[in-house]
Amino acid sequence: MPKKYHIDIKATPLNRDFVSKFKIARGENCINCGKCTKVCIYEAHKRGAKDPRKIDDPHMALCKNCFRCIQECPRGALVKSLDPDFLALGGSYWKPDMLLSIWKQAEDGKVPVSGAGYRGPFTGPGFDGMWTDMSEIVRPTRDGIHGREYISTAVDLGRKLNHLNFADTGSLASNIHQTVDLPIPIIFDIPACKLSNNIMTSFVISAVAAGTFAIMPANDISADIKQYINNIIPLVSPDKITAHQSLISGARLVAIEYATALLNDFGSVKDSIKKISQAVTIVRIPAMTGIEDAVTKLARSGAEVIHIVADYRGMEAPGLRQRFLKDVVRAVHLRLIEERIRDEITIIVSGGIAMAEHVPKAIICGADLIAVDIPLLVALGALLYEQPEMTITLPDWLEKLPAATVVQRIVNLMGAWHSQLLEVMGAMGIREVRRLRGETGRAIFFDEIDKDTFGKLFQQRETASI
Amino acid sequence: MKPETVVIKPMPSRFKHKVPKYKVTRSDACINCGMCAKSCPYGVHERIEGHNKMRPPIDYKCIGYECRKNDEFYCVYKCPRKALSLSLNPMYETLGDCRWTSDMIIATWIMAETGYPPERTDIGYQTGNSDGGFDKLRLKFPVNPLKVERDEISTELRLNRRNDGRSNVVISTPMYGGGMSFGSVSLSTMLSKARNATIWNTFTCTGEGGYPEMLYPYDDHVITQVATGLFGVREETIQRVRIVEFKYAQGAKPGLGGHLLGEKNTESVARMREAVKGTSLFSPFPFHSVYSIEDHKKHIDWIKQMNPKALVSVKVSTPNDVDMVAVGSYYAGAHIIHIDGGYGGTGAAPDIAKKNIAMPIEYAIPKVHNFLKEEGARDAVTLIASGGIRTAHDLVKAICLGADGAVVGTAEMVALECVRCGNCESGRGCARGIASTDSELADLFDDEWATQRIVNLYHAWNYQLVEILQKFGMKSVSELVGRTDLLEHVDYS
């Protein structure tokens, strides 16, 4: 039996406050009776360590919003509110709750679980405008939680043949292209902010541990990082291929920065890489108006893997209309199908991948795999602000963390995401992530079902008001 | 109308303070004259006999801005030093979310306390802020409805429509309690749900975790669940009840099955589930003996053979093909099709499943209702909806979309003062003692208190249902089924 893919998660709490959602203020009328310390089952309220006559300020990272202390304080002296620091975090796309959830997954590597029903909006822009399907009755090959090990999340990167040719003798006449196999449809994108060499090293080691790759600008790959070249995708511009010859020769995948000239000259660029190594090339192209045409053209001229990069909120470059990643991928995927070349190339997408659910959703929309960036930093305590401009701040204690802790936290996040991918696939009865690609029939899109249900009952209204 | 067994009694909160919506601030300008204490009829202001100073205002008793109209006692105007001011309490924002708003939770607490919908007009509880589904649907009342008296209106729901000689089960209000297993909620919670079901002549469900002995007195109002792990399912439990439910999937975690951690599998839980204490128990997905609709029929036949009187309910989630599944279940012989929407579920479940897997119930109801109608089967089955039915208004909307009735889970828990913090499974379990078997936490309330709270909630919902039927000029809730013409949608006209 082949070795099963497994991510080794391990609880790695930093015992540090990331951000707290709530704030509890103790009023002057507190009489230090200690009722709060008795009713709080999470031990957020404690008597002072130095002076037990006084109650300490509440430890908000432990508060789970149960309202016991608020409702049982004999003096009504406790006042809870949403923490302004929490509310200032993130923005319209990166909700503060998402960042908190990423942090928790990095702490324990587990699938976030909660009770009392779903608490978010009904639908929303981007990936929130779709649901995934499930099957009530599935084939006998599924075996609940035990069968999860048999669900394959493996993908292969590279060019594939549309069909095979055979010689008259019956032997295979086609030349099979080189591909790179990945056990998980996630690779690490270029870090969203500048990292020290130490953290970069840990970053790559966690890619090794998860069995995946990290994309890195060739210039940032120091000598001690280079030893992990087997799991690094160096990013080079087309005119610097010879300059980075030694990196490319050891790499299994090489990413080329997009330039318009590449559209007419991809063949020669690919050849110059193939001269150096067997590495599979990735063309890294920004999501923009007309991306379908560019991707088609590249695919026709022999591109192996195309990486479509949206901005950090999943939007394509400003143009006539700015589409979200989900719609960009659907458009590209459908175009390639119309051109009958979809199966010949591999599509990676990135930008705005913030939650585990975005992985299967992007794949359902037509991507083969995704690249993740910001969540990997949030796992390490980075804070992200969308306003007034996008800023990522790394905690000052990050450099002091042991390398093993940094690695384990990123591995934990990937472990949690992998388990969640299995949950979604398991519910659908899909046993191979490769078969999920472009399976929009296994999704429910808000626009379609709302029109199909309420559009049939009522007439579309111009403005939303009664 | 309510059965005679229903008696409404006020059942106040078990906690000292309620969660305040407003904040009354007393500034330094206060001279402790006591005018506010004398004039406020709600008891916000207090000065203890013999004390010079006023006590801090008791915010939760304040009725807020609508008090402005009360010239004779509105404290902000009345205070001679203008020392009092009124604002929204920041605490209120920490309660609830866009599906269950703070107003909706407070209103449910009032209903559980008094048995009636809130009289206060500052609590907007009829819709949430989720910006979709029920929250975008409104009821369209006729200008001149037929005149109907309250006591002429029937809220009864007939559950057996097959004319197959099995029990003719009729419930008094078109809703019943969702399945919550022994172990997932405290014994008091489970018992109070069963006692309420008996008082209201409706049902509660055991969930998958066996049939505790203490439920025996309520047998006629208990649905026993047969789920994929078959935990605690015995011939004897099947024969006790009037309804047996097959659970294929549930809205909280469609397609995922369940998992009881080893440490929660205590001696009593293990005995109930006929398992070994301390081992992790998996409730797999799917039924491993059901790979086709024919297999499904075989199971239903098996139940019917074992209990010749029982009705069979089939609980499924809401995938794209939920309409086919429903029709298949009808042909397999089910009396009740229970569809549980993707946003539903009370028990702990992966966040990714709660948010993403399967469609919201608002789409599934018309889909199933219409498909059953096209198949000519609609009149022979009872269609029950669940998964996000938070208020009597949601219940009415679900019925207008095509359901016959609904199952409620979270609303019952909120009646027991659940704040929906969501930590049902962490550590010792529910901090409020509802979903915990921890010896200390599970004793936070007794089942008499809990039963009355749920009875009161059902009454408040039934009261509103009757009021709505009256406004539509209808004499029975069955007239409402599938009446989408009585709805309007914010996005459509």
Side-chain angles (χ1 to χ4, degrees), chain A residues 2-22:
Chain A
K3 192 168 162 269
K4 286 175 200 148
Y5 178 59
H6 181 74
I7 299 180
D8 282 314
I9 57 158
K10 198 173 105 195
T12 316
L14 294 182
N15 297 318
R16 283 177 188 279
D17 296 348
F18 177 59
V19 280
S20 307
K21 187 165 181 176
F22 307 104

Side-chain angles (χ1 to χ4, degrees), chain A residues 408-443:
Chain A
Q408 188 61 51
R409 286 183 69 90
I410 296 178
V411 168
N412 280 353
L413 182 66
M414 288 303 106
W417 280 27
H418 179 247
S419 304
Q420 288 170 83
L421 175 61
L422 294 187
E423 303 261 338
V424 171
M425 290 174 64
M428 281 187 221
I430 285 200
R431 287 163 55 83
E432 263 202 71
V433 80
R434 280 181 278 224
R435 296 185 56 178
L436 191 62
R437 190 199 68 196
E439 275 284 338
T440 47
R442 302 318 304 274

Side-chain angles (χ1 to χ4, degrees), chain B residues 8 81 138 146 159 222 244 299 303 385:
Chain B
I8 299 307
R81 289 301 171 116
R138 303 286 182 271
L146 205 71
L159 297 180
V222 172
V244 178
H299 276 67
I303 297 289

Side-chain angles (χ1 to χ4, degrees), chain A residues 22 29 38-42 64-82 87 101 111-123 127-128 130-146 148 355-358 360-361 420-424 426-428 440-444 446-447 449-455 457-466, chain B residues 13 15-19 23 55-56 89-91 93-95 97-99 109 130-134 136-138 248-249 254-256 259 282 284-286 288 290-293 296 315-321 325 343-352 354-360 362-363 366 401 410 417-426 428-432 440-441 444 484 487-493:
Chain A
F22 307 104
N29 52 336
K38 291 195 188 87
V39 299
C40 181
I41 65 167
Y42 306 111
K64 292 188 189 273
N65 203 26
C66 77
F67 280 83
R68 286 282 303 274
C69 63
I70 303 291
Q71 292 193 269
E72 296 191 59
C73 170
R75 290 298 174 112
L78 297 170
V79 177
K80 183 163 57 170
S81 55
L82 289 172
L87 296 174
S101 173
V111 175
V113 168
S114 64
Y118 172 64
R119 51 197 73 230
F122 187 85
T123 179
F127 286 123
D128 284 351
M130 63 188 285
W131 297 280
T132 60
D133 202 15
M134 57 84 67
S135 299
E136 304 286 353
I137 296 173
V138 295
R139 291 183 300 278
T141 42
R142 287 262 335 276
D143 194 18
I145 198 160
H146 301 292
R148 286 177 193 203
M355 304 167 85
E357 67 188 63
H358 295 165
K361 284 181 174 179
Q420 288 170 83
L421 175 61
L422 294 187
E423 303 261 338
V424 171
M428 281 187 221
T440 47
R442 302 318 304 274
I444 299 158
F446 168 75
D447 296 336
I449 194 167
D450 205 67
K451 251 185 227 128
D452 212 40
T453 312
F454 296 131
L457 298 174
F458 317 103
Q459 292 288 312
Q460 187 84 41
R461 194 188 288 274
E462 290 297 315
T463 48
S465 68
I466 277 191
Chain B
S13 166
F15 300 109
K16 184 170 165 71
H17 307 288
K18 292 179 189 166
V19 180
K23 186 169 171 56
R55 297 280 305 266
N89 200 315
M91 194 120 84
E93 288 179 318
T94 66
L95 180 70
D97 47 73
C98 60
R99 290 193 75 79
W109 286 349
S130 77
D131 213 20
F134 292 135
K136 279 200 168 178
L137 289 169
R138 303 286 182 271
Y248 276 81
L256 297 182
H259 177 189
F282 295 104
F285 177 84
H288 281 85
V290 180
Y291 295 124
S292 65
I293 212 76
H296 177 44
K315 177 177 177 179
V316 293
S317 183
T318 50
N320 256 330
D321 58 355
V325 173
Y343 281 157
T346 302
D351 290 344
I352 192 170
K354 290 201 292 190
K355 179 174 175 216
N356 298 297
I357 306 179
M359 67 173 76
E362 291 91 332
Y363 300 132
L401 287 173
T410 303
E417 295 192 292
C418 162
V419 284
R420 300 188 72 250
C421 70
N423 300 294
C424 319
E425 273 225 338
S426 70
R428 291 164 61 193
C430 174
R432 300 176 76 90
E440 197 184 314
L441 291 171
L444 284 175
T484 49
L487 295 174
E488 55 186 337
H489 192 291
V490 176
D491 293 345
Y492 303 87
S493 58

Side-chain angles (χ1 to χ4, degrees), chain B residues 275-294:
Chain B
V276 178
K277 177 187 149 194
T279 54
S280 284
L281 298 180
F282 295 104
S283 190
F285 177 84
F287 269 113
H288 281 85
S289 38
V290 180
Y291 295 124
S292 65
I293 212 76
E294 291 76 19

Side-chain angles (χ1 to χ4, degrees), chain B residues 290-470:
Chain B
V290 180
Y291 295 124
S292 65
I293 212 76
E294 291 76 19
D295 287 347
H296 177 44
K297 182 175 188 309
K298 175 187 73 189
H299 276 67
I300 292 179
D301 289 346
W302 164 56
I303 297 289
K304 286 184 169 175
Q305 191 66 35
M306 218 176 311
N307 183 338
K309 293 303 270 180
L311 308 189
V312 177
S313 164
V314 174
K315 177 177 177 179
V316 293
S317 183
T318 50
N320 256 330
D321 58 355
V322 60
D323 43 0
M324 305 277 198
V325 173
V327 167
S329 292
Y330 160 73
Y331 284 117
H335 298 87
I336 301 169
I337 315 279
H338 172 182
I339 49 176
D340 194 17
Y343 281 157
T346 302
D351 290 344
I352 192 170
K354 290 201 292 190
K355 179 174 175 216
N356 298 297
I357 306 179
M359 67 173 76
I361 194 68
E362 291 91 332
Y363 300 132
I365 300 170
K367 198 175 165 86
V368 171
H369 172 70
N370 291 328
F371 200 69
L372 284 168
K373 251 180 19 191
E374 283 161 25
E375 280 285 307
R378 183 63 186 90
D379 293 335
V381 284
T382 305
L383 179 61
I384 298 289
S386 66
I389 311 279
R390 305 154 295 177
T391 62
H393 290 81
D394 286 352
L395 169 67
V396 168
K397 289 169 192 172
I399 296 175
C400 287
L401 287 173
D404 291 302
V407 161
V408 290
T410 303
E412 287 186 342
M413 298 302 101
V414 175
L416 303 182
E417 295 192 292
C418 162
V419 284
R420 300 188 72 250
C421 70
N423 300 294
C424 319
E425 273 225 338
S426 70
R428 291 164 61 193
C430 174
R432 300 176 76 90
I434 303 161
S436 177
T437 47
D438 181 278
S439 55
E440 197 184 314
L441 291 171
D443 281 345
L444 284 175
F445 57 83
D446 60 50
D447 46 76
E448 199 174 323
W449 176 86
T451 306
Q452 190 63 51
R453 295 273 299 191
I454 304 179
V455 167
N456 286 355
L457 179 77
Y458 272 58
H459 184 262
W461 281 37
N462 188 270
Y463 184 88
Q464 294 172 81
L465 173 61
V466 169
E467 198 171 71
I468 290 167
L469 290 172
Q470 203 177 14

Side-chain angles (χ1 to χ4, degrees), chain A residues 292-449:
Chain A
E292 302 94 307
D293 302 324
V295 170
T296 309
K297 201 152 185 195
L298 284 166
R300 290 245 179 260
S301 51
E304 302 174 290
V305 183
I306 294 173
H307 179 176
I308 301 169
V309 183
D311 78 1
Y312 77 105
R313 287 192 280 213
M315 299 304 291
E316 67 181 346
L320 281 178
R321 53 191 179 131
Q322 225 181 333
R323 292 169 299 181
F324 181 73
L325 186 62
K326 164 184 113 196
D327 306 304
V328 174
V329 187
R330 282 188 86 180
V332 168
H333 177 74
L334 286 178
R335 170 67 70 83
L336 291 172
I337 286 178
E338 279 164 27
E339 301 278 338
R340 296 166 190 250
I341 49 176
R342 178 61 190 95
D343 282 333
E344 292 180 41
I345 59 160
T346 307
I347 302 281
I348 306 174
V349 298
S350 66
I353 303 290
M355 304 167 85
E357 67 188 63
H358 295 165
V359 179
K361 284 181 174 179
I363 293 174
I364 286 173
C365 289
D368 288 281
L369 67 155
I370 65 99
V372 58
D373 46 16
I374 293 170
L376 302 174
L377 299 178
V378 177
L380 304 179
L383 297 175
L384 175 131
Y385 299 90
E386 289 184 27
Q387 296 297 336
E389 57 184 25
M390 202 276 254
T391 324
I392 294 175
T393 55
L394 294 174
D396 46 16
W397 41 260
L398 180 56
E399 285 300 327
K400 296 188 194 99
L401 285 185
T405 307
V406 174
V407 171
Q408 188 61 51
R409 286 183 69 90
I410 296 178
V411 168
N412 280 353
L413 182 66
M414 288 303 106
W417 280 27
H418 179 247
S419 304
Q420 288 170 83
L421 175 61
L422 294 187
E423 303 261 338
V424 171
M425 290 174 64
M428 281 187 221
I430 285 200
R431 287 163 55 83
E432 263 202 71
V433 80
R434 280 181 278 224
R435 296 185 56 178
L436 191 62
R437 190 199 68 196
E439 275 284 338
T440 47
R442 302 318 304 274
I444 299 158
F445 291 92
F446 168 75
D447 296 336
E448 293 165 15
I449 194 167

